[in-house]
Amino acid sequence: MQEPTPPKRSIGRRQTPTRAEFRRLALSAEIGTVTRRQLAVLAQNLPCTGIVNATEAYLLTTLINTAPAEAFDKGGRPIIFKSNQQLAFEINRSAGRVSRLLSRLFDAGLITMQDSGNYKRYPTRDVEGVIVDGCGIDLRILIVRYRELDELVRQARVEKAAANAALRRYRGTLRNLRRALASAYCLPQRIRARLEVRLEKVATLVGIATRAPSALLLRATALLEWFVERAMRLPRRPEVAFAPQDSACRCAESGMHRQSTSPDSHEESSDSQCTATAGPMTSARELTPEAGRRRAVKQPRRSRQEMVALQDILRAIPALSTYGLALPRSWADLARIAPQMCRIAGISDDARRRAVDQMGEHRAAVAIAITLQKLDRQEVSSPDGYLRAMTERAGSGELHLSRSIFGLAARYTMEPLP
């Protein structure tokens, strides 16, 4: 009986569509726009974003400081040719650990690696001895993504500052409430016991304050401040009355006014109907064709948002699996991978931000996925311009994402399998 042969171990670096895209993106770097000092500071601050941990950031900083400053000037080549053994000695780790760290940095899009036939790292020089290319660790992808990563660091700092402020306010309000309950001797025992029970419920809901999100801390702080007012026997806050001019119907003098709207809120209202946000009632004499046309000019048509199921998007966008992206299980997951889809499709951050500002995160993510799919089908030559055009159409109310999704899904299901 022949013994089964063990499976052969795969030889070579793992290849993925994302890594190939990062290599192509590194070729578009404009050397000289970012200095080595800026990249070193960025690498030290990246752990706050959660993209890398402290050890990976330490290795990335070591790689940046290894390259000479002239390599980041115009005409330079920021490529590192040190071996894993040398890098392991410099960061006090094993060579195997350095190899795994380099793979994680490659997958995160912070470095790219070009391997030779024997996995040695060496430069390629011209006749004058100037390095023009080489097989090693390429840092040009950091120059391309510097603005994006720097913005992520800034957002992380802003969120951390907001979380710290909410934490300090919550702890101060909690201390004030406990002090108020201890010093309010004239407070009835029934009210004191009720406030103590509510205090314990809020504290249990928050749990460890340092790990609670800032939104939860703000809501808990508002409740505790209200408990303090009750403990100090302060009068209730006066309710803010609405001004008469804010009313949709100014001719209503007293009583409850019930606004009447169209029974079908999804259908466009005609010129003779009055919306809930309209001004004073229009008399029958003013309902002329000329007045209707004037109102139509002053009030542009607004398109309603298309509701598309997430399963329809997954069926219409097979490019997500083609490029190795994680299939989203919710709308939040789809919005989370939108920046990664932009990097794969070659869409700039400015175009993505404009789309998010105009359409919102979810609709912008759907538009980016459509652009990626059409780029994969070679129907779009300029993904950045295509997304900007979709953003302009969304601003004028002429964008219909549901039609694009269903059209792509129909074409995908009708195509014969390879």
Side-chain angles (χ1 to χ4, degrees):
M1 182 176 180
Q2 185 179 3
E3 296 182 358
T5 58
K8 295 183 179 180
R9 181 180 179 182
S10 58
I11 301 175
R13 192 177 304 277
R14 182 168 57 92
Q15 301 297 323
T16 62
T18 305
R19 290 186 174 185
E21 179 61 27
F22 286 148
R23 288 197 191 97
R24 186 176 66 176
L25 189 61
L27 298 178
S28 62
E30 298 181 4
I31 309 297
T33 57
V34 182
T35 63
R36 185 181 68 174
R37 181 178 179 276
Q38 290 176 317
L39 293 179
V41 173
L42 174 65
Q44 294 174 1
N45 295 330
L46 277 180
C48 69
T49 62
I51 299 177
V52 295
N53 54 29
T55 307
E56 295 166 354
Y58 181 37
L59 176 59
L60 182 60
T61 306
T62 303
L63 292 174
I64 295 173
N65 293 329
T66 298
E70 296 78 12
F72 297 93
D73 295 337
K74 191 172 183 180
R77 288 293 183 270
I79 303 177
I80 310 302
F81 306 105
K82 285 185 177 180
S83 62
N84 289 352
Q85 288 78 8
Q86 181 63 27
L87 293 174
F89 173 76
E90 294 182 2
I91 69 172
N92 195 20
R93 297 294 189 276
S94 64
R97 179 72 181 279
V98 169
S99 178
R100 292 189 294 271
L101 293 176
L102 290 176
S103 298
R104 295 173 189 171
L105 293 176
F106 198 173
D107 292 331
L110 302 178
I111 63 171
T112 58
M113 303 182 69
Q114 182 65 36
D115 297 322
S116 61
N118 56 359
Y119 294 97
K120 300 295 183 180
R121 297 169 185 163
Y122 55 86
T124 302
R125 303 178 184 271
D126 57 8
V127 294
E128 299 179 356
V130 180
I131 298 177
V132 294
D133 202 355
C135 297
I137 305 171
D138 197 344
L139 301 178
R140 287 180 291 180
I141 187 66
L142 277 179
I143 300 177
V144 178
R145 300 186 60 194
Y146 174 76
R147 303 301 175 189
E148 173 193 353
L149 297 175
D150 187 62
E151 180 64 21
L152 291 178
V153 172
R154 189 192 65 83
Q155 293 178 0
R157 288 178 175 176
V158 171
E159 294 175 359
K160 183 62 176 178
N164 290 338
L167 178 62
R168 289 193 295 267
R169 184 178 176 186
Y170 168 77
R171 286 177 171 175
T173 308
L174 183 62
R175 183 172 57 250
N176 293 338
L177 177 57
R178 288 174 175 170
R179 182 65 178 175
L181 292 176
S183 59
Y185 301 105
C186 59
L187 190 66
Q189 186 64 28
R190 180 177 57 86
I191 298 179
R192 185 196 303 273
R194 185 182 301 175
L195 291 177
E196 290 177 352
V197 171
R198 293 180 178 179
L199 169 62
E200 294 301 327
K201 288 184 178 180
V202 171
T204 304
L205 178 63
V206 172
I208 301 177
T210 54
R211 300 180 182 178
S214 58
L216 178 61
L217 292 178
L218 291 177
R219 291 196 298 267
T221 303
L223 287 175
L224 295 180
E225 290 178 349
W226 184 72
F227 294 161
V228 171
E229 295 178 0
R230 293 297 305 273
M232 302 304 296
R233 309 294 296 275
L234 297 179
R236 293 183 178 271
R237 297 181 182 180
E239 297 182 359
V240 180
F242 292 98
Q245 58 270 19
D246 293 338
S247 175
C249 183
R250 303 181 184 178
C251 58
E253 297 180 356
S254 61
M256 180 181 297
H257 173 64
R258 296 184 179 179
Q259 301 174 359
S260 60
T261 57
S262 175
D264 191 358
S265 59
H266 296 288
E267 297 293 334
E268 297 179 357
S269 60
S270 62
D271 295 335
S272 61
Q273 290 175 338
C274 179
T275 60
T277 57
M281 298 295 293
T282 306
S283 61
R285 297 178 182 179
E286 297 177 355
L287 294 178
T288 60
E290 291 77 6
R293 283 193 293 269
R294 287 197 298 268
R295 284 197 304 273
V297 172
K298 294 181 180 179
Q299 300 178 0
R301 294 178 59 184
R302 299 178 59 187
S303 63
R304 57 182 179 178
Q305 285 192 357
E306 299 90 348
M307 300 301 294
V308 183
L310 188 60
Q311 297 299 328
D312 296 333
I313 296 177
L314 297 180
R315 188 174 69 255
I317 314 295
L320 297 177
S321 301
T322 303
Y323 290 100
L325 296 173
L327 295 181
R329 298 182 178 179
S330 62
W331 289 102
D333 293 342
L334 182 63
R336 191 176 299 112
I337 66 174
Q340 191 173 0
M341 288 191 292
C342 289
R343 290 194 297 268
I344 295 176
I347 300 174
S348 62
D349 293 339
D350 179 69
R352 180 176 64 85
R353 285 194 295 266
R354 289 178 181 270
V356 171
D357 294 341
Q358 181 64 43
M359 297 182 281
E361 289 187 358
H362 295 167
R363 296 191 70 206
V366 175
I368 293 170
I370 293 173
T371 305
L372 178 63
Q373 179 62 31
K374 291 195 173 184
L375 176 66
D376 184 67
R377 297 174 61 91
Q378 298 181 356
E379 298 179 1
V380 174
S381 58
S382 176
D384 191 88
Y386 188 79
L387 181 61
R388 292 180 186 273
M390 295 178 71
T391 304
E392 294 179 359
R393 293 177 60 187
S396 59
E398 300 176 356
L399 181 64
H400 304 282
L401 295 177
S402 59
R403 298 179 184 177
S404 301
I405 290 294
F406 295 143
L408 289 174
R411 278 184 286 181
Y412 179 71
T413 54
M414 292 176 60
E415 289 181 352
L417 295 177

